[in-house]
């Protein structure tokens, strides 16, 4: 059961602190991040409580979910709530989306007042509703307008500006390098690249060959992103990548220790147990309470996290069935505790190439 605001157990905190100490800071543009592993923006997921949790679990920095510039400018309350940053968050960027440079500049000015370390522009969202308005990955289609787009936004803010792009619109129009050159001219400081085209959506594999070419040759710091879902994949890229940083999206949803485990040395007997995962659920509930209006909204948001965190343990499908039939938060936490704390196999088993959540906004 939840004990509000209880610290993590000494044993878990000790493992977290030990691995956190091994991280090396990196610089992206003018910002120093505690580690090269950053949390990717994810809509309806990258909210303040989740971002805070991930920073506490070793993410060097985080980016919010995409936030509509028009929603901000129309003073939509739900949209403005999305701009809130927890005072304990350190290196967070707020991501805006929109197609109109003036509307984006106005919204960026408002966004800055919420205290982000940087403001990021979504140029990767493949979803029809967003692309249809000329925003998201649609911005990659006509590079002739990009200079004005970036400079108008840049002029309205004093915090660093970054962009998150895809490789291009489709296989025949891969233009990430051109977009990055224009961005640099207009004062954008760094770029996250999801190694797929818009046409690919989430199919196939991220193209790491092209990501590495950008890491080597692009005139701005590159954060490479795509398909780094397990410790072995992250570790390999940390060793070999020429990009300045790596961005992890879906991976940490199933393994919240993905920002830390790559720092475990070979042969070292450190691992995170099912009981540790249950502690993480409780911590997320604690943080989320500050931002949820009712137990029901909290339950809806926490349930999906619990199911993701359960991945790699035994009896997940049975657990999922009963979890979705449980209407109360307190009962949900009770069965969650039972699920995690009675696991016989203490190690989580996740496969490198499991397909997982094949849609999103970037
Ligand atoms: C559920 C979901 C929501 C997403 N929302 C956003 C978003 O709001 N902004 C954005 O730039 N990218 C968004 N993305 C894309 C991710 O940031 C990332 O580029 C993509 O998932 C590939 O990285 P991964 O394989 O590590 O998950 C989203 C992805 C998912 C799965």
């Amino acid at each position: 059961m939840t004990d509000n605001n209880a610290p993590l157990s000494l044993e878990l905190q000790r493992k977290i602190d030990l691995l956190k100490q091994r991280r090396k800071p990196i610089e992206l543009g003018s910002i120093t991040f505690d580690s090269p592993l950053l949390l990717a923006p994810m809509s309806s997921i990258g909210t303040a409580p989740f971002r805070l949790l991930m920073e506490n679990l070793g993410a060097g920095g985080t980016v919010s979910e995409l936030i509509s510039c028009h929603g901000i400018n129309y003073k939509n309350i739900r949209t403005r709530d999305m701009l809130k940053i927890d005072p304990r968050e350190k290196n967070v960027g707020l991501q805006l989306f929109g197609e109109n440079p003036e509307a984006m500049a106005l919204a960026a000015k408002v966004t800055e007042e919420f205290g982000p370390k940087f403001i990021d522009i979504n140029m990767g969202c493949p979803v029809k509703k967003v692309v249809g308005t000329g925003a998201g990955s649609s911005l990659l289609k006509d590079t002739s307008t990009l200079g004005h787009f970036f400079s108008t936004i840049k002029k309205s803010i004093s915090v660093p500006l970054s962009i998150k792009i895809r490789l291009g619109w489709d296989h025949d129009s891969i233009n990430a390098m051109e977009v990055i050159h224009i961005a640099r001219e207009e004062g954008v400081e760094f770029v996250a690249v999801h190694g797929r085209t818009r046409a690919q959506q989430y199919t196939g594999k991220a193209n790491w060959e092209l990501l590495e070419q950008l890491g080597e040759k692009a005139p701005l710091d590159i954060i490479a992103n795509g398909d780094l879902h397990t410790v072995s994949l992250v570790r390999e890229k940390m060793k070999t990548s020429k990009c300045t940083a790596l961005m992890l999206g879906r991976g940490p949803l199933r393994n919240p220790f993905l920002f830390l485990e790559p720092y475990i040395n070979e042969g070292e007997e450190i691992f995170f147990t099912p009981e540790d995962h249950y502690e993480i659920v409780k911590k997320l509930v604690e943080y989320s309470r500050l931002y949820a209006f009712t137990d029901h909204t909290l339950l809806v948001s926490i349930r999906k996290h619990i199911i993701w965190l359960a991945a790699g343990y035994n009896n997940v499908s049975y657990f999922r069935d009963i979890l979705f039939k449980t209407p109360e938060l307190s009962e949900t936490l009770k069965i969650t505790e039972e699920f995690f704390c009675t696991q016989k196999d203490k190690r989580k088993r996740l496969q490198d190439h499991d397909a997982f959540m094949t849609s999103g906004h970037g």
Side-chain angles (χ1 to χ4, degrees):
M1 284 295 309
T2 46
D3 174 7
N4 269 343
N5 304 330
L8 295 176
S9 67
L10 280 179
E11 180 55 20
L12 174 55
Q13 194 61 56
R14 194 188 59 77
K15 286 187 276 193
I16 293 169
D17 292 343
L18 176 76
L19 296 172
K20 263 180 153 177
Q21 276 169 25
R22 297 180 183 173
R23 300 173 308 161
K24 297 246 164 25
I26 52 137
E27 279 171 18
L28 289 167
S30 57
I31 307 180
T32 303
F33 292 83
D34 292 337
S35 138
L37 302 179
L38 313 178
L39 179 70
M42 285 181 285
S43 65
S44 308
I45 297 169
T47 55
F50 186 66
R51 297 192 309 256
L52 175 62
L53 182 69
M54 291 299 106
E55 265 200 272
N56 287 349
L57 295 179
T62 66
V63 186
S64 76
E65 59 189 319
L66 80 174
I67 306 170
S68 159
C69 73
H70 300 303
I72 295 171
N73 295 339
Y74 294 145
K75 300 192 169 52
N76 178 302
I77 293 174
R78 258 204 78 226
T79 312
R80 291 228 174 179
D81 274 349
M82 291 159 92
L83 294 169
K84 285 185 187 155
I85 291 176
D86 191 283
R88 292 165 287 182
E89 287 185 83
K90 239 176 93 189
N91 261 336
V92 59
L94 291 175
Q95 186 188 68
L96 302 182
F97 77 99
E99 75 303 342
N100 177 297
E102 284 73 29
M104 284 289 279
L106 202 63
K109 219 171 150 60
V110 176
T111 300
E112 192 168 26
E113 287 164 23
F114 285 76
K117 272 281 167 71
F118 59 100
I119 291 178
D120 185 64
I121 306 174
N122 179 312
M123 298 179 66
C125 179
V127 172
K128 267 202 188 126
K129 222 173 115 185
V130 171
V131 168
T133 65
S137 56
S138 196
L139 290 163
L140 301 174
K141 271 169 124 177
D142 180 7
T143 49
S144 70
T145 58
L146 282 183
H148 174 66
F149 187 74
F150 293 141
S151 68
T152 311
I153 302 167
K154 172 78 190 158
K155 266 185 246 152
S156 72
I157 54 173
S158 52
V159 291
L161 183 64
S162 62
I163 58 176
K164 179 161 178 282
I165 65 176
R166 283 186 174 231
L167 293 172
W169 179 257
D170 60 20
H171 186 262
D172 298 322
S173 56
I174 294 207
N175 62 354
M177 187 65 98
E178 183 194 355
V179 172
I180 295 167
H181 273 277
I182 300 169
R184 180 176 179 266
E185 284 302 301
E186 305 304 339
V188 170
E189 293 198 19
F190 53 94
V191 183
V193 189
H194 178 183
R196 287 185 172 84
T197 63
R198 188 271 170 176
Q200 275 181 292
Q201 305 260 349
Y202 283 80
T203 60
K205 286 187 184 152
N207 187 333
W208 275 87
E209 215 178 294
L210 288 184
L211 288 173
E212 288 305 333
Q213 282 176 22
L214 293 172
E216 204 170 359
K217 298 195 181 119
L220 284 176
D221 289 320
I222 299 295
I223 309 167
N225 163 246
D227 302 344
L228 302 183
H229 296 178
T230 58
V231 178
S232 59
L233 294 172
V234 175
R235 200 178 264 150
E236 182 203 316
K237 291 293 179 230
M238 284 172 76
K239 275 197 202 125
T240 59
S241 182
K242 298 193 176 62
C243 299
T244 313
L246 304 171
M247 191 169 246
L248 316 180
R250 291 167 287 178
L253 300 176
R254 303 214 288 193
N255 178 3
F257 304 106
L258 196 56
F259 296 102
L260 293 173
E261 285 187 337
Y263 293 96
I264 298 173
N265 298 320
E266 215 170 299
E268 205 172 20
E269 258 308 301
I270 301 176
F271 65 95
F272 292 95
T273 64
E275 288 80 2
D276 293 338
H277 283 71
Y278 178 58
E279 287 204 50
I280 295 311
V281 171
K282 287 193 293 179
K283 202 34 93 183
L284 189 57
V285 170
E286 176 197 317
Y287 290 165
S288 301
R289 270 192 199 287
L290 300 169
Y291 297 87
F293 296 112
T294 62
D295 261 17
H296 184 70
T297 32
L298 205 159
L299 178 64
V300 169
S301 86
I302 207 74
R303 216 160 23 193
K304 61 180 196 254
H305 281 286
I306 293 172
I307 288 300
W308 292 328
L309 291 170
Y313 289 120
N314 286 323
N315 293 326
V316 176
S317 51
Y318 172 72
F319 174 55
R320 183 190 293 120
D321 284 349
I322 54 167
L323 194 76
F324 278 97
K325 287 185 191 133
T326 307
E328 292 288 327
L329 181 63
S330 57
E331 188 61 20
T332 297
L333 290 168
K334 210 165 128 214
I335 59 172
T336 301
E337 180 173 16
E338 267 164 34
F339 171 80
F340 283 107
C341 301
T342 56
Q343 290 288 324
K344 295 227 159 48
D345 188 350
K346 296 294 174 196
R347 293 209 185 232
K348 183 170 252 213
R349 316 236 170 238
L350 293 171
Q351 302 304 316
D352 278 357
H353 295 297
D354 275 356
F356 172 49
M357 283 219 306
T358 49
S359 65
H361 285 274

